Amino acid sequence: MSQGGYAIELYLDPALENQVLKAWNVLARRQISSQLIEIESRPHLTLYSAPFIDPTKLESIIKTFASKQEPLPLSLSTIGCHNNLLFLAPTPTLSLLQFHSQLCDAMRREGIEISEDYRPENWIPYCAVAQDVPKARMAESLCVLRDLKLPVAGYAMDIGLVEFSPVREFFSFVLGNTVEG
């Protein structure tokens, strides 16, 4: 079980989100992993995570940041695993890497420390499809995901802050939208 904390998440457009949910549901039906469904997560890329953070401080940073961005093209093109985590990884385009780097810069300017894993030179973007996959079922899980017709393309549309676990959203903002969200 993962420990609690806070995360800034980049959310997918509905069509792309549905492709990821399809994977979640197949893995749950096969009783491989249903943890992401159980903690009420939603398909996303984690841009930043920390054990403690002041949500009110982040809200104005993220709101301003989101208003200056546009929806971001994403292509989930690779299946991967790390320890007991199974994921889909996006093609690391320059626009995605710059988006993340600019967010980190905006946070640093406000005195927020970026941990080693989320620094631009270390960040590995991924969209989790299963957590705590039993080692004995990892090969089966990879075969299930291989049946997805990759790449699946779409857009990142929103950015938000959540507390986990279970997941509870504090706020989210549509990219490029200057209207209150």
Side-chain angles (χ1 to χ4, degrees):
M1 201 48 120
S2 59
Q3 58 204 45
Y6 297 86
I8 298 174
E9 297 181 342
L10 188 60
Y11 298 120
L12 316 175
D13 69 59
L16 190 53
E17 184 172 287
N18 282 334
Q19 292 298 312
V20 176
L21 288 172
K22 224 185 267 187
W24 288 15
N25 290 325
V26 170
L27 293 168
R29 274 197 307 278
R30 292 190 178 216
Q31 297 180 331
I32 294 170
S33 176
S34 59
Q35 188 181 352
L36 292 167
I37 295 168
E38 289 164 11
I39 65 170
E40 299 177 25
S41 187
R42 131 180 208 204
H44 65 275
L45 304 181
T46 302
L47 299 168
Y48 170 83
S49 186
F52 305 103
I53 195 116
D54 177 3
T56 55
K57 185 173 187 178
L58 272 181
E59 187 168 8
S60 63
I61 298 169
I62 293 173
K63 182 178 182 179
T64 301
F65 177 77
S67 72
K68 296 176 183 172
Q69 304 297 319
E70 292 300 319
L72 192 62
L74 283 180
S75 177
L76 298 175
S77 55
T78 307
I79 298 165
C81 60
H82 179 69
N83 296 331
N84 294 2
L85 175 74
L86 196 56
F87 59 86
L88 298 175
T91 302
T93 60
L94 185 57
S95 59
L96 175 60
L97 297 175
Q98 285 176 334
F99 180 94
H100 175 258
S101 181
Q102 290 166 5
L103 174 64
C104 289
D105 290 345
M107 291 169 58
R108 269 194 218 99
R109 282 193 300 274
E110 297 299 322
I112 295 172
E113 175 80 23
I114 309 296
S115 66
E116 198 68 32
D117 289 348
Y118 292 97
R119 289 189 182 142
E121 65 273 16
N122 299 330
W123 181 62
I124 299 172
Y126 67 88
C127 179
V129 290
Q131 292 180 331
D132 298 333
V133 176
K135 191 175 180 182
R137 309 235 15 223
M138 189 57 82
E140 177 189 354
S141 304
L142 290 167
C143 288
V144 167
L145 289 184
R146 207 176 53 198
D147 291 340
L148 289 176
K149 303 288 183 249
L150 295 180
V152 289
Y155 290 87
M157 302 295 289
D158 310 74
I159 185 172
L161 178 71
V162 299
E163 182 178 22
F164 59 90
S165 159
V167 174
R168 179 172 72 94
E169 185 178 281
F170 281 97
F171 55 79
S172 68
F173 298 104
V174 174
L175 300 179
N177 187 358
T178 54
V179 179
E180 288 280 323

